Amino acid sequence: MSLEADSIRIARIIFRSRLSRALLKRFLEPDPSGARTRLEHALSMLAHEREENAGLGCMLDYYFSKLLFGTAMRLMHIKHEEFEMGIRDPAIRRGIELVLRSLLKYGVTVPQKLAAPFLIVWNFTNACNLRCIHCYQRAGSNPGPDELTSGEKLEVVRQIDEMGIPVVALSGGEPTIHPDFLRVVEEGAGRGIYMAVATNGMRFADEEFTKRALKAGLRYVEVSLDSTDPEEHDRFRGVKGAWELAVKGVRNVVKCGEGMVSVGIAATVTKLNKDEIEDMVRLGEELGVDRVVFFNFIPTGRGREAMELDLTPEEREDVLRRIYREAARSSIQVVSTAPQLARISWQMSRGGDVLPTHFTMPRSSALKAVAEFIGGCGAGRIYMAIQPDGIVTPCVFMPIPVGSLRKEKLEEIWENSGVINDLKDKDLLKEPCGSCEYRYVCGGCRARAYAYFGDYLASDPGCLRGKISRESGAGAMMAAGGASPAPP
């Protein structure tokens, strides 16, 4: 199979054409009727949300978009009904617009450079009602001394909207205990942004709160569960009864959000729970969730004091193989943030399947080519993170300040940060990741490279193929007194 799928090869031809570029540039102009862009208007017409009986300019946009997306659907074997259902979602329309803006700006690149991130993970507050062993944020019982004000948070949402970013995930600390949580969810949802939350789930044990959050516009709720054993979860999370409240929260969201919200459970895989992969997926099936996510353990924040919990490369390989088997078996989505899953799924399926880190892929002959187009670690490339005080970092697990929203616009940081631009270019990766045949679908976890070696372009010490002594990286950290590596 050619690594360059027909759809990508055709996209390259289209985006070299002056006529196509001129038409697409027109699509991305502000729409005279009040929609964000002409493309937004055209997609809403295709979704039958706006009257097709419009002015000449709108009708030209409509028929050109119908031709463009009809061709794309045929190439990607997407049914018309599925496409129409998808574009009824404003966040999907934003995603399509972002892809076209990126292709117009950069052409087709491998991996694809983006005009804006698809996702912002926003550590909303440093306050938390738990004290987890592995907390990357070192969250405490109170907010940090310099967190963004309510007005500053709304300005951040406005900037995210202005950039056309499709998804915002509020994390923490524990975002749901902050008084601004529902207000910001409502503001983002009102602008057509897909609003998600990563939570310990305890607030959702209150059914009234659950209903208020869903009414505000929350679209995805991901609840952390670190074990199927309540006692183990509570010990890891530092509060007795946390497991019962988290599971009750999941059940409430599933019950109250039927047809309105997606639900996931997420576990950070360590030596403590590495043998629970299958049990965790079955728990997710029993609870009726849409997704089970297995997070990489990153030794940052309080996790730096628990490095002995990290998996060996051999253990991670075994865990990821089991995750892929569950993904192939289960009726719900089973994914991992470890980018090596893409390589393992490709190998285990003998080229028939690949699971990039940030996307769920359809089965098709274009799999590996599309995975190289979008796959692998997304830090600074597909997403960025915002800290409670407005500091921007490439990833919540990578404490490298690349700008401050109190001094710069989010768009300026995305465009101008040297660290962000380095992370967008996988050809800068150091050996052995830099010469690995899977560097575009995987490329290793940049946060793990930084945590162990103080270098975000270094090899990921969790990969068998890397053949790098993780002990040498840990030894260097110990010699430095356990302090976080200085930002480059």
Side-chain angles (χ1 to χ4, degrees):
M1 182 184 68
S2 169
L3 292 182
E4 180 160 273
D6 287 344
S7 54
I8 295 178
R9 186 165 61 249
I10 290 170
R12 283 198 166 104
I13 294 169
I14 290 172
F15 284 93
R16 288 184 188 130
S17 161
R18 288 185 179 180
L19 176 60
S20 296
R21 290 175 64 84
L23 287 168
L24 288 167
K25 190 174 181 180
R26 170 186 164 82
F27 255 157
L28 299 174
E29 294 173 353
D31 183 62
S33 70
R36 279 174 41 80
T37 60
R38 290 180 181 274
L39 177 62
E40 161 73 21
H41 191 160
L43 287 172
S44 64
M45 290 172 70
L46 288 173
H48 306 294
E49 291 182 0
R50 290 174 180 259
E51 290 294 327
E52 295 183 17
N53 185 20
L56 178 60
C58 289
M59 292 307 297
L60 287 173
D61 292 340
Y62 168 74
Y63 284 114
F64 178 68
S65 65
K66 194 171 183 178
L67 175 64
L68 172 69
F69 292 111
T71 303
M73 281 186 282
R74 285 192 296 276
L75 286 171
M76 299 178 73
H77 306 291
I78 298 172
K79 294 180 180 178
H80 177 79
E81 296 78 11
E82 292 174 350
F83 175 76
E84 188 176 297
M85 183 176 296
I87 61 173
R88 289 174 188 163
D89 186 338
I92 298 293
R93 298 202 288 256
R94 280 174 174 264
I96 292 171
E97 181 184 312
L98 175 53
V99 168
L100 292 180
R101 278 198 290 125
S102 302
L103 291 169
L104 191 61
K105 184 169 186 175
Y106 297 110
V108 180
T109 64
V110 177
Q112 183 60 47
K113 291 183 178 178
L114 297 176
F118 268 107
L119 166 68
I120 292 292
V121 180
W122 185 351
N123 286 339
F124 203 63
T125 179
N126 210 54
C128 189
N129 47 5
L130 296 180
R131 189 168 179 81
C132 306
I133 292 172
H134 66 322
C135 180
Y136 61 81
Q137 194 70 10
R138 290 188 183 273
S141 55
N142 297 308
D146 199 25
E147 294 189 3
L148 296 175
T149 65
S150 298
E152 287 173 324
K153 287 186 176 79
L154 294 178
E155 168 59 19
V156 170
V157 176
R158 189 197 66 77
Q159 288 191 35
I160 289 170
D161 180 31
E162 192 175 66
M163 286 181 72
I165 295 169
V167 184
V168 172
L170 302 180
S171 188
E174 176 51 45
T176 62
I177 66 175
H178 195 282
D180 291 336
F181 172 70
L182 293 179
R183 177 72 185 89
V184 168
V185 169
E186 187 174 36
E187 180 71 19
R191 292 173 177 268
I193 300 169
Y194 186 99
M195 298 299 294
V197 65
T199 172
N200 59 40
M202 293 170 68
R203 286 292 314 270
F204 291 97
D206 177 351
E207 189 171 323
E208 183 57 35
F209 175 83
T210 299
K211 291 176 179 177
R212 288 169 58 206
L214 300 184
K215 185 178 180 181
L218 202 57
R219 300 281 304 280
Y220 177 57
V221 178
E222 186 173 279
V223 175
S224 296
L225 281 176
D226 288 301
S227 177
T228 56
D229 181 339
E231 289 186 6
E232 279 298 308
H233 174 87
D234 292 355
R235 189 182 69 79
F236 199 73
R237 294 274 160 174
V239 173
K240 190 171 179 57
W243 192 92
E244 295 291 347
L245 289 173
V247 169
K248 185 177 181 182
V250 172
R251 293 189 189 279
N252 278 343
V253 179
V254 170
K255 180 179 71 173
C256 298
E258 187 175 2
M260 300 190 316
V261 64
S262 293
V263 189
I265 57 174
T268 298
V269 183
T270 67
K271 289 183 184 296
L272 299 176
N273 62 2
K274 65 182 177 63
D275 297 322
E276 296 188 42
I277 301 302
E278 295 80 6
D279 290 342
M280 189 65 72
V281 175
R282 282 162 180 75
L283 176 61
E285 292 168 341
E286 176 194 321
L287 292 173
V289 303
D290 303 283
R291 185 175 298 104
V292 177
V293 185
F294 293 98
F295 274 82
N296 243 347
F297 173 75
I298 315 290
T300 189
R302 276 201 293 271
R304 294 175 71 83
E305 299 154 18
M307 292 181 65
E308 70 279 1
L309 297 179
D310 200 2
L311 304 179
T312 66
E314 293 79 8
E315 288 170 334
R316 180 170 283 101
E317 193 84 358
D318 175 65
V319 162
L320 291 175
R321 292 176 73 85
R322 288 159 54 205
I323 287 172
Y324 177 65
R325 290 191 194 102
E326 288 299 296
R329 177 201 65 80
S330 182
S331 60
I332 62 178
Q333 291 182 10
V334 181
V335 297
S336 172
T337 63
Q340 290 85 4
L341 181 60
R343 186 251 310 161
I344 286 172
S345 61
W346 184 256
Q347 292 172 331
M348 288 181 67
S349 67
R350 297 183 180 181
D353 197 6
V354 64
L355 298 179
T357 305
H358 293 274
F359 295 88
T360 301
M361 295 296 298
R363 272 61 176 166
S364 80
S365 61
L367 280 171
K368 191 172 181 184
V370 176
E372 289 184 338
F373 189 64
I374 60 173
C377 177
R381 192 177 63 83
I382 288 175
Y383 85 98
M384 285 198 302
I386 299 173
Q387 300 304 318
D389 59 358
I391 296 294
V392 178
T393 62
C395 167
V396 292
F397 300 107
M398 197 186 298
I400 306 175
V402 296
S404 170
L405 294 180
R406 284 178 164 147
K407 298 176 182 178
E408 306 162 82
K409 287 189 173 183
L410 190 62
E411 186 172 14
E412 293 170 353
I413 297 169
W414 177 257
E415 291 283 345
N416 301 326
S417 164
V419 174
I420 296 296
N421 284 316
D422 282 351
L423 290 166
K424 291 175 184 176
D425 187 354
K426 289 198 176 185
D427 291 333
L428 296 178
L429 295 180
K430 296 179 180 177
E431 296 299 326
C433 283
S435 60
C436 178
E437 63 180 296
Y438 294 98
R439 69 186 180 277
Y440 295 134
V441 298
C442 171
C445 173
R446 299 299 94 219
R448 287 179 53 79
Y450 184 70
Y452 274 99
F453 303 112
D455 182 353
Y456 54 82
L457 296 175
S459 179
D460 179 349
C463 181
L464 273 178
R465 297 171 67 93
K467 299 180 182 177
I468 290 180
S469 171
R470 180 173 55 179
E471 286 72 24
S472 67
M477 285 170 48
M478 297 282 286
S484 295

